[in-house]
Amino acid sequence: MSNEQLLHQPGNRVVELDIEGMTCASCVARVERKLGKLDGVEASVNLPLESAHVTVPAGITDEQITATVEAAGYKAKIRPPKYPGPVTERPAEHAEHAAGSAAPADHMAHGAASTLRPRLIVAAILTVPVFAISMFPAFQFPDWGWVAGILALPVVTWAAWPFHRAAAVNARHFASTMDTLVSLGVIAAYLFSAWQLLADPRMTEHPGMEMSTGGLYFEVAAVVTTFLLLGRYLEANAKQKAGDALKALLNLGAKDATVLADGEEVRIPADQLAVGDVIVVRPGEKIATDGVVVDGASAVDASLVTGESVPVEVGPDSPVTGATINTSGRLLVRATRVGSETTLAQMARLVSQAQTGKAPIARLADRISAVFVPIVLAIAVFTFAAWLVIAGPEVTDRELRAAFTAAVAVLVIACPCALGLATPVGLLTGTGRGAQLGILIKGPQVLEDTRTVDTILLDKTGTVTTGRLAVDSALAFGTSSSAEVLRLAGSVEAASEHPIAHAIAAAALSAERRNNDGGRLPAVEHFRSAPGGGVSGRVAGRLVLAGRTGWLRENGVPITTEQQAALRTAEESGATAIWVAVDGEPAGIVSLRDTIKPGSAAAVSRLKQLGLRPVLLTGDNREVAAQVAAAVGIAPADVFAGVLPDGKVEAVRKLQAGGATVAMAGDGVNDAAALAQADLGIAMGSGTDVAIEAADLTVMGNDLGQVAQAIELSRQTLATIKTNLFWAFFYNAVGIPVAALGLLNPMIAGAAMAASSVLVVANSLRLRGFGRPSQAGVATAR
């Protein structure tokens, strides 16, 4: 049962843990296994974030959870809870936890880096002379072996202490990790060398003597420690960079807000806002929380949250999102969601949950890592014994040295650092980059789903089209002109609140301003409106009617057969047609259409490049659907028209029954069931909370191009994780036998092991450049 399913069991809750001391996939597997032994508990542990997402049933306390982790040899701390209730019910001093608790990666990684830095510096300073003395006769002097041993001692003890401590903690629990391999390898190399030197104090009495007669490995112990510390330090810094996206997301919110109270403006911290507060937002300021504009008009830059570059025009009753920027006019905004309920906090929560989860491919790596270290220890012992057996009963110093070298090299080369980092760092970077682009990936399983989908069902209204009608054309009868018909219709419709009236009035005003600089529509007198019928009024002394056929007949306006045919032609083309009559005679017809979003055609083309078959879904008639499909490049055969809201699920099932793996993109409440039924549900962020909750992927903007970008990013993230895992497995599979055959020096093995971890992280960090202008091409890997 998944965490999501467990969470919906009665009495279950989620606990977020910060965990210190984990170093590899074996540590992750151990913590998950220990927590899993508690009845009803399921945990997902993330190595780069050094955190765990734990689903806990009733009866299991926080103290039991932390004690279990500590019993496994690690430090655990319960992360401050996220408060799901209204912010007014939450103490103000805890408000910072509502969003900030979502991202431990930064301070954890920073702490690790600062702890490792002094050890790395000391190790590097002492290792350079040890390496030079041991490897180059020109730097040697009488009894140089003792100097090398003394210089190497702080390196293999104090500098290597993190490895030794972790190995000791795990040994107490009869367990082993990659630190066990490192600690054993370093200690064995140093103690073997010290034993050799003590057994023959004169072995380095003269320069060059040890190279031909002895077996000192002080330089191996020092160099391996330094390389591994360097790898750990670079990993810690890389983890911090990988978590920067989420940290930046959390820092987007405004720190302060200006509240209008009793006619006065008061500046307060943003985390003290309550639902219903009216805040003042001046040009250039961030909107402090989600709300609705109650006064003012402006353009709002939502690019930081939605990823869309074009500012959105807002006015009274327009919804606005916290962390977006007011670019022009002064706005008064009534807060509707605050604290942990804001869009920004929800984004952070989704991203954090996705980063903590595991894709199926990651669990394979965890299972392998759980048994990997004991197997490697056995291989190292077997390697040492095999070399001695091959040498025969009389083992020379050279043969003993060769056996020891091979065994130590196996221990060092086998450390599964890269294996433990392969999946979580890729996931961390990919989901973080997605958050910057306004793309939220709900969980790691989604990455696998994007690889398999081959069909995408696009809901027309709000997804492919704007969902808002706009005037397409004006047809005039008799001596009237189309411009006059639109002008008179716009004048009378300007007094109506109907969406169709708004569209006609806006088009008429725009035309008037084009024809007469600064022009205005004539005023209307004696205005009258009939719901569902039409409007009437006097414009410049003339009686103007606009509306449906029944409205004209109700007002005694005759309609000829030719005029009725013109209306029918307009409607059959997919338009909404409105009659315009002047002084009792039909003057013309105004046609309106649902406007197609500017980027929809390009987005459909991009979806096709990704190997997807786009299918249009709409409740409109076939004529309207065919016109929209043709405009954006969807084949006529790939159109579901006349579909009622409850028929959307059936449309998904029909495609699935035909063998298709279906993605569904929608934005409305009536899309939620279809989004849940689809193999991959994609919610447009401009839509409802219900749709977003039901979806697997959410794009915070309303551009269909972001849907294609979301699928592309998910596939690239999965491809990056697979590449990481391949090289991690390949590295160990090739490295271990090479080391066992004595073909790999332990120093080179240490450098290679550290390099493999850094390369895996570097490969993952390439995702930070996804979607930037310099990136060319489209990911088609499936």
Side-chain angles (χ1 to χ4, degrees):
M1 187 177 291
S2 68
N3 275 341
E4 192 71 22
Q5 293 168 318
L6 280 168
L7 184 55
H8 288 89
Q9 297 297 310
N12 283 7
R13 61 193 176 93
V14 168
V15 173
E16 302 286 347
L17 291 177
D18 289 333
I19 302 176
E20 294 182 22
M22 297 188 300
T23 56
C24 68
S26 298
C27 301
V28 170
R30 179 169 304 103
V31 174
E32 289 182 340
R33 187 169 60 251
K34 289 284 188 182
L35 288 172
K37 289 181 179 179
L38 294 175
D39 189 29
V41 172
E42 182 166 312
S44 180
V45 179
N46 187 290
L47 178 61
L49 287 178
E50 296 185 274
S51 66
H53 184 82
V54 188
T55 305
V56 182
I60 301 292
T61 65
D62 290 351
E63 289 72 21
Q64 286 177 277
I65 298 295
T66 54
T68 300
V69 176
E70 288 170 359
Y74 308 93
K75 293 182 180 179
K77 182 174 66 175
I78 300 291
R79 197 182 304 164
K82 304 180 182 75
Y83 296 86
V87 75
T88 51
E89 300 176 3
R90 183 176 78 234
E93 63 268 22
H94 296 308
E96 63 190 89
H97 299 313
S101 63
D106 179 66
H107 79 266
M108 299 291 279
H110 178 74
S114 61
T115 301
L116 291 169
R117 187 182 300 112
R119 297 183 190 275
L120 174 59
I121 292 172
V122 169
I125 291 173
L126 295 177
T127 296
V128 170
V130 171
F131 181 78
I133 294 169
S134 302
M135 300 301 294
F136 302 102
F139 293 102
Q140 292 174 358
F141 45 82
D143 296 316
W144 59 266
W146 293 96
V147 175
I150 292 171
L151 291 176
L153 185 61
V155 178
V156 300
T157 53
W158 181 77
W161 179 246
F163 304 113
H164 302 321
R165 180 186 176 280
V169 168
N170 284 286
R172 287 204 302 269
H173 298 279
F174 303 101
S176 57
T177 66
M178 65 150 284
D179 292 299
T180 305
L181 304 181
V182 173
S183 179
L184 287 177
V186 169
I187 290 174
Y190 189 87
L191 292 182
F192 181 82
S193 302
W195 173 72
Q196 290 277 75
L197 194 58
L198 290 171
D200 185 5
R202 301 180 59 189
M203 68 181 301
T204 57
E205 183 178 10
H206 302 291
M209 285 185 64
E210 182 273 339
M211 297 229 170
S212 59
T213 63
L216 299 187
Y217 284 95
F218 293 127
E219 80 282 359
V220 169
V223 170
V224 166
T225 299
T226 303
F227 273 137
L228 297 185
L229 283 173
L230 176 62
R232 286 281 178 89
Y233 178 74
L234 293 176
E235 284 172 25
N237 280 332
K239 290 175 190 176
Q240 181 178 342
K241 290 180 181 179
D244 280 349
L246 183 53
K247 179 189 174 187
L249 177 65
L250 294 169
N251 288 335
L252 286 179
K255 302 299 183 289
D256 299 299
T258 302
V259 177
L260 195 62
D262 299 325
E264 295 186 1
E265 296 183 6
V266 181
R267 195 78 174 170
I268 65 170
D271 56 30
Q272 293 182 10
L273 286 170
V275 172
D277 283 345
V278 176
I279 58 177
V280 181
V281 188
R282 294 181 173 80
E285 290 185 339
K286 283 184 179 179
I287 299 173
T289 193
D290 295 358
V292 175
V293 176
V294 295
D295 186 54
S298 180
V300 172
D301 181 359
S303 60
L304 292 176
V305 176
T306 67
E308 293 182 292
S309 59
V310 180
V312 179
E313 297 291 336
V314 298
D317 297 327
S318 296
V320 291
T321 304
T324 55
I325 300 173
N326 178 23
T327 62
S328 49
R330 179 177 181 268
L331 295 175
L332 294 183
V333 176
R334 178 177 289 109
T336 56
R337 293 194 292 191
V338 295
S340 62
E341 296 303 303
T342 63
T343 299
L344 185 66
Q346 290 173 0
M347 287 175 66
R349 207 148 45 231
L350 282 172
V351 174
S352 181
Q353 288 171 4
Q355 292 178 345
T356 307
K358 276 188 172 63
I361 195 171
R363 298 198 178 275
L364 172 63
D366 288 346
R367 287 194 296 269
I368 292 174
S369 297
V371 298
F372 186 74
V373 173
I375 290 175
V376 169
L377 290 173
I379 291 174
V381 172
F382 175 79
T383 298
F384 185 76
W387 276 81
L388 295 183
V389 169
I390 293 172
E394 298 293 333
V395 179
T396 65
D397 286 343
R398 181 180 295 277
E399 289 165 338
L400 180 62
R401 178 184 179 128
F404 181 77
T405 300
V408 171
V410 167
L411 290 175
V412 175
I413 197 67
C415 295
C417 292
L419 194 60
L421 292 168
T423 297
V425 174
L427 185 62
L428 181 66
T429 311
T431 53
R433 179 57 183 157
Q436 291 178 325
L437 296 171
I439 298 168
L440 304 184
I441 302 171
K442 186 168 284 188
Q445 177 62 48
V446 176
L447 303 179
E448 300 278 353
D449 294 339
T450 59
R451 179 181 62 87
T452 59
V453 293
D454 52 34
T455 302
I456 183 164
L457 195 58
L458 305 174
D459 182 55
K460 179 184 79 70
T461 305
T463 302
V464 177
T465 66
T466 62
R468 298 186 300 272
L469 291 175
V471 172
D472 180 60
S473 64
L475 174 66
F477 301 140
T479 59
S480 300
S481 68
S482 59
E484 184 182 15
V485 167
L486 181 60
R487 179 170 175 268
L488 292 173
S491 297
V492 73
E493 294 280 21
S496 173
E497 294 298 321
H498 196 280
I500 291 178
H502 283 176
I504 294 174
L509 181 59
S510 178
E512 189 70 11
R513 287 175 174 171
R514 284 197 306 270
N515 297 331
N516 302 290
D517 188 23
R520 300 173 61 185
L521 292 174
V524 62
E525 298 175 337
H526 308 298
F527 174 79
R528 186 164 63 99
S529 174
V535 296
S536 66
R538 287 200 170 271
V539 179
R542 307 173 72 181
L543 178 61
V544 180
L545 285 81
R548 303 288 188 182
T549 302
W551 177 242
L552 266 65
R553 287 175 177 163
E554 184 180 327
N555 285 274
V557 178
I559 301 173
T560 68
T561 303
E562 291 79 7
Q563 290 167 345
Q564 188 67 52
L567 179 78
R568 188 164 52 251
T569 299
E571 290 180 334
E572 288 176 350
S573 71
T576 297
I578 301 297
W579 289 105
V580 180
V582 179
D583 292 333
E585 294 291 335
I589 297 172
V590 176
S591 297
L592 302 95
R593 298 182 190 275
D594 183 2
T595 53
I596 295 172
K597 292 179 181 178
S600 290
V604 168
S605 174
R606 193 172 175 190
L607 288 168
K608 289 179 179 178
Q609 292 179 49
L610 288 167
L612 299 174
R613 167 195 169 202
V615 177
L616 187 68
L617 178 68
T618 178
D620 290 335
N621 60 47
R622 179 154 291 280
E623 288 76 17
V624 173
Q627 184 194 41
V628 173
V632 298
I634 295 176
D638 292 331
V639 175
F640 285 92
V643 179
L644 297 176
D646 57 0
K648 293 184 177 183
V649 173
E650 189 56 39
V652 175
R653 288 175 178 160
K654 183 177 180 180
L655 288 169
Q656 290 172 330
T661 304
V662 182
M664 161 81 181
D667 71 334
V669 172
N670 56 22
D671 295 327
L675 290 172
Q677 174 64 36
D679 299 286
L680 178 69
I682 305 171
M684 305 292 285
S686 57
T688 65
D689 290 344
V690 177
I692 293 171
E693 184 64 29
D696 303 301
L697 273 171
T698 299
V699 295
M700 297 307 294
N702 59 9
D703 180 8
L704 185 57
Q706 284 185 292
V707 172
Q709 190 177 45
I711 293 174
E712 186 178 348
L713 173 61
S714 297
R715 288 183 175 181
Q716 284 202 12
T717 301
L718 181 64
T720 298
I721 290 172
K722 286 186 172 181
T723 303
N724 288 348
L725 286 171
F726 170 79
W727 286 112
F729 281 123
F730 180 81
Y731 166 82
N732 287 123
V734 172
I736 292 175
V738 170
L741 292 172
L743 303 176
L744 194 63
N745 185 284
M747 288 189 295
I748 305 300
M753 192 276 285
S756 69
S757 298
V758 175
L759 287 173
V760 161
V761 174
N763 184 49
S764 299
L765 290 179
R766 293 189 306 115
L767 288 168
R768 298 175 76 196
F770 176 86
R772 294 197 172 118
S774 60
Q775 187 187 48
V778 175
T780 56
R782 299 177 57 202

